[in-house]
């Protein structure tokens, strides 16, 4: 008997399958592409291979090897008696039945939908020109574009701008908003953008892209945008559209009867249950937090609930990182968001240039901003840019999750010399 059907073997789906198997459940896991989903095959892992490669040529060569090795590891983990991996597309027949593409029916009391997301293209003229690509196709390029124009200064736009500039491409970013990375503290986002600007990336901020026009010759094209009421254009050999992602929903979801929407994805409650009891939706498809680690933890929470196991996962404390060079990372609300919500707080800052390890590493560009309740009280948030910002924020995430104060952080002994010491150097 099957206890749980999971549709999609991305980080949400496959980690949920492994956790369920560990708890003794019988699982059927559907995947019609490669296991590992966007993150492993065309997202986080290939992008990080690029970030750590010394040259574009080496990145192109290493990327498929890294992906294949990891994918092999996931396949090995999944080949165990409690998991049946069905390498076919699944469609809902009713609330408890799913059919494979070859027509076999599978029934279970619980179903998890983990179908992920896909790139959202702007509905503008020229979006279908051959020079326009998404991050998936950009990672597949065999030749370094001489001029790369990136539409959108969100997470994908900034990560690719940083790495392609380092590889030697001439990079221009066109962004509708006044500042990049809106989820980050405005001051930190601005400092990161200015640093990348100094390295040679051109930014057009407050610039809404209106169309993409084919260039007079060759395969290049022009990105046409409006900035301060005037029309401007940037010519490029390749154009990356990094304007967000949308949940992958499918018409057969209607057979199961739960509420969903093409734009917002599948509606879920705080335990990630859809409007039909026994059917859950985790990861990008529920549109909550489009992050691999969010999907993983949502899956673990759902499986715990199905298996009757308690957990204390705190979904309000969700750290995130942007793998530019240097990195940026954040957990909790920004200073502006705290002000807007009228939450009393005090803000403490520290700079990488005063940290011994950062100086030794010649990584002195960086800043930490930590907000806590007045009087060095409970820590509310931390936003960082600088080398290994993700690791610095990870430490603060543990303190926030445990409800600790800044005083308790200061009382914690930090290894010397480490970048983490920047946290005990906060003003
Ligand atoms: P995003 O929503 O982060 O950024 C899209 C940007 O495009 C926005 O800043 C928006 O203002 C801009 N934009 C939209 N229309 C525009 C127009 N006409 N002209 C100019 N600018 C325009 O989306 P993304 O960067 O594509 O990322 C997609 C998702 O993937 C996000 O949810 C992100 O969190 C996730 N992701 C996360 C990581 C990570 O955690 N390191 C890495 C990659 C992707």
């Amino acid at each position: 008997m099957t206890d749980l059907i999971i549709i999609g073997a991305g980080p949400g789906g496959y980690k949920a399958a492994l956790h369920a198997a560990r708890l003794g459940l019988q699982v059927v896991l559907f995947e019609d592409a490669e296991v590992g989903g966007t993150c492993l095959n065309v997202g986080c892992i290939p992008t990080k291979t690029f970030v750590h490669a010394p040259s574009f040529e080496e990145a192109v060569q290493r990327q498929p090897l890294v992906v294949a090795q990891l994918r092999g590891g996931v396949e090995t983990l999944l080949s165990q008696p409690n998991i049946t991996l069905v390498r076919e597309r699944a469609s809902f027949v009713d609330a408890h039945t799913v059919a494979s593409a070859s027509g076999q029916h599978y029934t279970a009391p619980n179903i998890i939908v983990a179908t992920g997301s896909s790139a959202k293209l702007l509905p503008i003229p020229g979006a279908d020109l051959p020079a326009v690509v998404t991050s998936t196709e950009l990672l597949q390029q065999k030749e370094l574009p001489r001029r790369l124009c990136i539409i959108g200064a969100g997470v994908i736009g900034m990560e690719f701008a940083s790495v392609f500039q380092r590889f030697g491409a001439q990079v221009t970013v066109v962004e509708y908003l006044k500042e990049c990375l809106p989820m980050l503290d405005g001051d930190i986002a601005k400092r990161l953008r200015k640093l990348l600007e100094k390295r040679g990336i051109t930014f057009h901020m407050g610039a809404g892209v209106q169309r993409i026009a084919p260039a007079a010759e060759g395969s290049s094209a022009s990105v046409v945008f409006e900035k301060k009421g005037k029309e401007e254009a940037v010519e490029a050999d390749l154009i990356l559209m990094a304007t967000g992602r949308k949940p992958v929903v499918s018409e057969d979801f209607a057979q199961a009867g739960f509420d969903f929407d093409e734009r917002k994805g599948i509606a879920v409650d705080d335990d990630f249950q859809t409007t039909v009891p026994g059917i859950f939706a985790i990861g990008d498809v529920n549109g909550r937090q489009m992050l691999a680690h969010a999907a993983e933890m949502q899956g673990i929470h759902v499986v715990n609930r199905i298996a009757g196991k308690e957990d204390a996962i705190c979904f309000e404390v969700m750290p995130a990182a942007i793998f530019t060079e240097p990195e940026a990372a954040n957990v909790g609300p920004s200073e502006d968001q705290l002000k807007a919500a009228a939450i009393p707080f005090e803000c403490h800052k520290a700079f990488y240039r005063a940290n011994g390890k950062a100086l030794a590493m010649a990584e002195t560009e960086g800043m930490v901003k930590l907000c806590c309740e007045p009087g060095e009280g409970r820590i509310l948030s931390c936003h960082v840019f600088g080398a290994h910002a993700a690791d610095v924020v990870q430490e603060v995430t543990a303190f926030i999750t445990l409800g600790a104060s800044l005083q308790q952080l200061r009382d914690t002994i930090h290894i010397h010399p480490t970048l983490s010491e920047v946290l005990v150097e906060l003003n």
Side-chain angles (χ1 to χ4, degrees):
M1 200 199 86
T2 305
D3 299 301
L4 173 63
I5 293 171
I6 302 175
I7 305 174
Y14 91 73
K15 287 269 170 88
L18 292 175
H19 187 56
R22 209 176 297 127
L23 297 182
L25 303 184
Q26 286 294 330
V27 183
V28 172
L29 173 64
F30 282 91
E31 176 56 64
D32 66 347
E34 300 286 2
V35 299
T38 299
C39 165
L40 195 161
N41 295 291
V42 293
C44 324
I45 301 301
T47 315
K48 264 80 268 177
T49 313
F50 269 53
V51 169
H52 292 285
S55 71
F56 178 71
E57 293 69 29
E58 198 151 324
V60 169
Q61 197 214 329
R62 275 198 73 222
Q63 190 219 143
L65 305 176
V66 172
V67 170
Q69 187 179 341
L70 267 173
R71 204 190 278 147
V74 174
E75 280 164 353
T76 306
L77 288 172
L78 291 173
S79 52
Q80 54 159 295
N82 284 9
I83 301 174
T84 305
L85 176 61
V86 182
R87 289 188 165 271
E88 289 183 55
R89 194 187 138 75
S91 321
F92 275 98
V93 175
D94 60 42
H96 293 294
T97 315
V98 167
S100 67
S102 59
Q104 194 171 336
H105 283 206
Y106 296 81
T107 305
N110 294 291
I111 300 177
I112 298 178
V113 184
T115 48
S117 64
S118 62
K120 194 163 68 186
L121 295 184
L122 288 178
I124 53 169
D128 54 353
L129 286 170
V132 182
V133 296
T134 65
S135 57
T136 303
E137 290 102 43
L138 184 55
L139 287 164
Q140 249 86 74
Q141 298 296 313
K142 297 284 178 274
E143 269 179 47
L144 182 69
R146 191 170 66 79
R147 298 164 304 173
L148 174 67
C149 180
I150 299 178
I151 307 176
V155 183
I156 295 181
M158 293 299 280
E159 287 185 356
F160 280 95
S162 166
V163 72
F164 274 81
Q165 191 276 332
R166 181 170 61 78
F167 286 155
Q170 191 182 316
V171 179
T172 306
V173 181
V174 185
E175 164 59 50
Y176 177 73
L177 300 174
K178 285 206 182 75
E179 195 45 85
C180 66
L181 302 166
M183 76 299 276
L184 260 191
D185 174 272
D187 193 12
I188 291 209
K190 186 174 175 186
R191 283 168 190 259
L192 176 65
R193 177 171 59 83
K194 291 279 174 206
L195 179 64
L196 295 180
E197 219 161 45
K198 227 164 58 188
R199 292 200 186 146
I201 299 174
T202 305
F203 285 93
H204 290 283
M205 306 306 289
V209 173
Q210 291 172 327
R211 63 181 194 280
I212 301 163
E217 55 182 272
S219 58
S220 60
S222 278
V223 175
V224 183
F225 55 90
E226 195 186 292
K227 190 175 167 182
K228 292 185 184 153
K230 279 209 317 226
E231 194 171 277
E232 290 185 43
V234 176
E235 198 167 307
D237 304 299
L238 209 59
I239 294 155
L240 169 65
M241 186 85 87
T243 47
R245 294 180 63 85
K246 58 175 192 288
V248 173
V249 297
S250 143
E251 275 178 15
D252 62 89
F253 288 177
Q255 310 295 330
F258 54 79
D259 289 350
F260 70 99
D261 176 302
E262 286 225 339
R263 209 168 46 84
K264 293 195 223 137
I266 302 176
V268 290
D269 64 17
D270 288 344
D271 287 320
F272 312 103
Q273 182 158 243
T274 68
T275 49
V276 172
I279 306 183
F280 302 84
I282 59 164
D284 289 8
V285 75
N286 69 27
R288 291 211 162 186
Q289 284 153 320
M290 288 195 171
L291 296 166
H293 48 275
E296 283 178 19
M297 296 308 284
Q298 290 174 8
I300 285 172
H301 181 65
V302 168
V303 169
N304 284 344
R305 188 186 145 141
I306 292 169
K309 189 173 181 278
E310 289 286 313
D311 67 46
I313 302 168
C314 184
F315 287 99
E316 295 80 54
V317 186
M318 184 61 69
I322 302 108
F323 295 93
T324 42
E325 295 165 73
E327 289 173 10
N330 63 301
V331 59
S334 65
E335 197 179 350
D336 285 344
Q337 286 170 331
L338 287 169
K339 273 186 201 152
I343 297 172
F345 70 97
E346 60 188 30
C347 181
H348 298 264
K349 290 183 196 171
F351 293 89
Y352 272 50
R353 61 174 179 266
N355 174 280
K357 179 80 177 274
L359 271 165
M361 291 165 68
E363 294 272 10
T364 49
E365 294 279 5
M367 174 186 172
V368 177
K369 232 186 196 187
L370 181 142
C371 295
C372 63
E373 287 176 351
E376 307 226 328
R378 199 167 60 91
I379 304 169
L380 302 169
S381 66
C382 183
H383 290 229
V384 181
F385 97 95
H388 302 281
D391 302 310
V392 175
V393 162
Q394 189 62 61
E395 178 182 341
V396 181
T397 303
F399 279 93
I400 297 180
T401 305
L402 298 173
S405 66
L406 176 56
Q407 186 56 53
Q408 285 171 302
L409 191 158
R410 288 197 197 283
D411 289 347
T412 304
I413 299 171
H414 283 69
I415 301 167
H416 178 73
T418 57
L419 290 175
S420 276
E421 285 176 297
V422 78
L423 293 171
V424 279
E425 289 153 6
L426 284 160
N427 67 11

